[in-house]
Amino acid sequence: MELKLALVGFGGVNQGLVELLRKKRETLAGAGLDVLITMVADLRLGIATNPRGIALDVLDETARRGVDAMALRRDPGTLVSPDVNLDAVLKAIASEHVDVVIEATFTDPNTGEPALSHCRTALECGKHVITTNKGPIALAQQELARIATKSDACLMYEGTVMSGTPVLRQIATTLRGCDVNGFAGILNGTSNFVLGQVEAGANFDAAIREAQQRGYAEADPAADVNGSDVQLKVVILANTLWNAGLQRRDVHCRGIVGLTGEDVRVAAAEGMSWRLVGSAVRRPDGTVTASVEPRKLPASHPLRAASGVTNAIMFDTDVLGSVTISGPGAGRQETAFAILSDLIELVDRIAAAAPEVLE
């Protein structure tokens, strides 16, 4: 099956996807998938289009040059327009040369834009959407799902919660048959790293600077340390699990900014460790309560083992009891893998809906 991809945003995640597509050619061929990248839109590049596909080597060179369009302009059949305003991007998304939109732009978490407009337009045009953006899914998941159903398109967002560690797919596949009554997770690698460094003796400011130097934290780490990043992930998880209709305001949120070095060191002396935990519980009457807050965890707690930038989530199930999943919660290649896994599942869904497509 041939799928024509539009990469909206060409930062670390979609650059990592290009690398994976080059490395995994045989794996994709074995899954019956032939991928062409026919459009790339990025504020630094403009909009590059080629109905026959932009060469992966050219895209890789573009990334290595610091997202410079020179290599793209030399690629036969590729046209590059400097006009990269929202209307131009939406027009390119709607092109007949696009089957799947890979959305990985920088997005305002309060409005979901511009990713929300990208996703909405793509789905309205019958394009499948794969996104790693938390904003549009946390703020408008139900709306986007309705549009996808009406347009017979797929909306996929595995990478929005724990990067490449498969959480949403576990819910949909291996945990089928279980009732999940709650979850608690360490869902932000930056805050987890900072708390670990403080426990080891650093002060908070120095720990945040080191997280930034290592590429774990943004220049403005507010979303990590104030808990709002985890808040969005809790909304996505609760709504995916239970169709709860949660919004950000429904999730009480308190980050790690209120903790002091003394708090962390006293806890360590007691054999405890502070972790920023996002959680939700479904009550017997169907109501859902959710929160983000620092918690002191004993050594025996399943989430305590998540150190550094590792994420972990513990599901409370009726059949299996507590089930914990852990893995990398950040990283360019790790998040790109989530997109790759969504692409492979997309082929399976299309084939299941219309088996003759693969014949």
Side-chain angles (χ1 to χ4, degrees):
M1 178 189 300
E2 181 180 271
L3 288 178
K4 297 178 179 179
L5 311 186
L7 306 187
V8 184
F10 196 57
V13 173
N14 272 338
Q15 290 175 26
L17 177 63
V18 168
E19 292 175 10
L20 278 180
L21 291 176
R22 295 178 71 206
K23 291 177 183 177
K24 297 290 184 177
R25 282 190 175 101
E26 292 184 7
T27 300
L28 295 176
L33 178 57
D34 180 20
V35 171
L36 295 178
I37 295 174
T38 55
M39 190 270 276
V40 179
D42 186 88
L43 290 174
R44 296 160 295 179
L45 283 178
I47 300 176
T49 57
N50 188 335
R52 295 192 300 275
I54 303 169
L56 293 179
D57 289 347
V58 169
L59 287 169
D60 188 56
E61 181 183 349
T62 300
R64 285 187 284 103
R65 285 177 172 269
V67 192
D68 182 280
M70 185 181 302
L72 287 168
R73 292 192 175 95
R74 295 198 305 266
D75 187 42
T78 297
L79 300 177
V80 181
S81 168
D83 188 4
V84 74
N85 61 54
L86 181 60
D87 287 341
V89 174
L90 297 182
K91 182 178 179 181
I93 284 172
S95 163
E96 63 179 344
H97 305 300
V98 172
D99 300 319
V100 185
V101 172
I102 311 295
E103 216 296 332
T105 57
F106 177 79
T107 292
D108 184 336
N110 296 308
T111 65
E113 296 295 351
L116 181 53
S117 291
H118 297 155
C119 294
R120 184 186 289 122
T121 295
L123 293 170
E124 287 173 344
C125 294
K127 317 294 185 182
H128 306 295
V129 169
I130 297 173
T131 184
T132 59
N133 258 316
K134 295 177 291 292
I137 304 302
L139 300 178
Q141 180 182 7
Q142 291 181 328
E143 176 202 352
L144 294 175
R146 284 194 296 269
I147 297 171
T149 299
K150 184 177 180 180
S151 300
D152 197 25
C154 292
L155 171 65
M156 308 178 78
Y157 48 92
E158 178 65 64
T160 59
V161 176
M162 279 175 58
S163 185
T165 301
V167 176
L168 302 177
R169 190 157 292 119
Q170 296 287 357
I171 295 169
T173 56
T174 56
L175 289 179
R176 289 176 67 185
C178 286
D179 288 336
V180 177
N181 299 313
F183 65 82
I186 296 171
L187 303 173
N188 182 271
T190 300
S191 61
N192 209 44
F193 174 83
V194 167
L195 289 172
Q197 294 300 105
V198 173
E199 188 172 302
N203 64 50
F204 269 95
D205 288 342
I208 291 171
R209 284 196 300 272
E210 183 171 354
Q212 291 169 324
Q213 291 166 1
R214 295 192 183 200
Y216 302 152
E218 300 291 342
D220 180 1
D224 297 314
V225 298
N226 70 16
S228 59
D229 174 73
V230 178
Q231 185 184 43
L232 292 174
K233 293 173 179 179
V234 168
V235 170
I236 293 170
L237 277 163
N239 289 342
T240 300
L241 269 168
W242 304 306
N243 196 27
L246 287 190
Q247 298 181 27
R248 287 186 67 182
R249 63 176 178 267
D250 300 318
V251 182
H252 171 73
C253 184
R254 183 164 57 92
I256 65 172
V257 289
L259 292 176
T260 66
E262 183 65 14
D263 292 330
V264 175
R265 287 186 286 273
V266 167
E270 297 171 346
M272 310 280 279
S273 286
W274 285 99
R275 296 286 190 268
L276 183 63
V277 178
S279 64
V281 174
R282 182 177 59 174
R283 306 298 181 189
D285 64 0
T287 59
V288 174
T289 57
S291 68
V292 178
E293 61 185 4
R295 296 184 189 175
K296 282 197 297 185
L297 304 181
S300 59
H301 196 286
L303 296 180
R304 172 74 177 271
S307 61
V309 293
T310 298
N311 282 188
I313 188 165
M314 181 176 64
F315 292 106
D316 174 28
T317 75
D318 63 335
V319 178
L320 300 176
S322 175
V323 176
T324 302
I325 300 167
S326 67
R332 160 177 158 154
Q333 183 162 287
E334 291 83 355
T335 307
F337 172 74
I339 297 173
L340 183 68
S341 68
D342 276 345
L343 273 172
I344 293 171
E345 183 178 332
L346 177 60
V347 172
D348 292 341
R349 290 191 189 183
I350 295 171
E356 67 276 5
V357 171
L358 293 182
E359 293 179 356

